Amino acid sequence: MDAQLGYIGIEVSDIEAWRRFATEMLGLSVALPRPDGALPLRMDDHDHRFLLHEGPADDVAYVGWEVVGTAALTAAKDRLARAGIVARAATDAEIEARGVQEMIHFDDPNGIRTEIFHGPALGLRAFRSAKITSGFKTGARGMGHVLVNARDVVKTERFYRDVLGFRLSDYVDTELMGTPVHAVFLHVNPRHHSLAFAGLQFPKRLHHVMFETNSLDDVGAAFYRAQDMGVPMALGLGRHQNDRMVSFYGITPSGFWFEIGWGAREVDDETWEVKTYNAVSDWGHRPASHG
Ligand code: FE
């Protein structure tokens, strides 16, 4: 299916730490709370790309995939039904909380609440990041990508490709700290991947969220801003082999990681060839010593 990563909901134990991290480190802005009390974070013209809910999990609560129009939403619902999965229609309260026109939801193979919607709410004012001068690369390519720690990678791949119609970008088969890792990268628009997953030695369902900037300078500046702010680093600057993104990774106040990057190549389905890479990066992305 054609879609975009519309928003993600996160349960966070320290809202104030997140408010500071989101605004001062990531350069997002905080909007007025949604009707259910969730704190929305903006990164473009959408009313929210993140919704923060206070709670102990410090992990992803739900992922929202945006499609264009009611026909596309019905098509997604039909695909799920043919696979024996009942997607429930959102209640009026859920529609209001997310600020969307129409929404269905179901649990994915990792037990993550997954929402498909159309008609997002847009922010009152034009967005300008106070920190990311060039702006975030979003629009129809969505807010970025998420990498999920999958319980069963094969089942997860079958579900997203065969049931929902996400398209394969590539695989990375490598070794991380002595453990073999098989990572799957899927796209739903020209962004190289909107969803990736692997079975990881990681204590959370959400491994990281990626933000793409419109200039390399914003990645470099963010890298040093993180150090100045004492934000824990995970992986230093490097370039990925598969999407060729130049990025670095730090650790959010909830313990999962964030990636800020620039310069990823895009997928043209007409000419794309699926490959398996044996390394994560061409250079860099060296683990930082922290903790
Ligand atoms: Fe990533």
Side-chain angles (χ1 to χ4, degrees), residues 49 56 64 80 103 127 144 160 164 194 220 224 230 244 255 258 278 290:
R49 291 294 198 170
L80 287 157
M103 188 238 281
F127 174 82
Y160 279 99
L164 282 182
S194 294
Y224 286 101
R244 298 190 186 143
F258 67 95
N278 294 125
H290 59 263

Side-chain angles (χ1 to χ4, degrees), residues 145-147 185 193 196 208-210 240 243 245 247 249 259:
H145 71 234
V146 286
L147 193 146
F185 298 80
H193 57 282
H208 74 263
V209 185
M210 187 285 300
H240 282 304
D243 66 0
M245 177 175 277
S247 65
Y249 293 77
E259 176 182 13

Side-chain angles (χ1 to χ4, degrees), residues 192-266:
H192 176 275
H193 57 282
S194 294
L195 175 69
F197 43 88
L200 300 166
Q201 309 280 1
F202 196 75
K204 300 191 181 284
R205 297 193 298 187
L206 180 60
H207 179 269
H208 74 263
V209 185
M210 187 285 300
F211 305 86
E212 189 168 4
T213 67
N214 286 314
S215 87
L216 176 61
D217 292 330
D218 276 321
V219 177
F223 179 73
Y224 286 101
R225 184 164 64 248
Q227 296 186 4
D228 290 346
M229 287 178 64
V231 172
M233 278 287 154
L235 306 173
L237 286 164
R239 188 190 279 274
H240 282 304
Q241 270 195 355
N242 63 344
D243 66 0
R244 298 190 186 143
M245 177 175 277
V246 176
S247 65
F248 75 94
Y249 293 77
I251 303 176
T252 70
S254 286
F256 59 80
W257 297 4
F258 67 95
E259 176 182 13
I260 296 181
W262 164 85
R265 62 174 165 162
E266 300 205 316

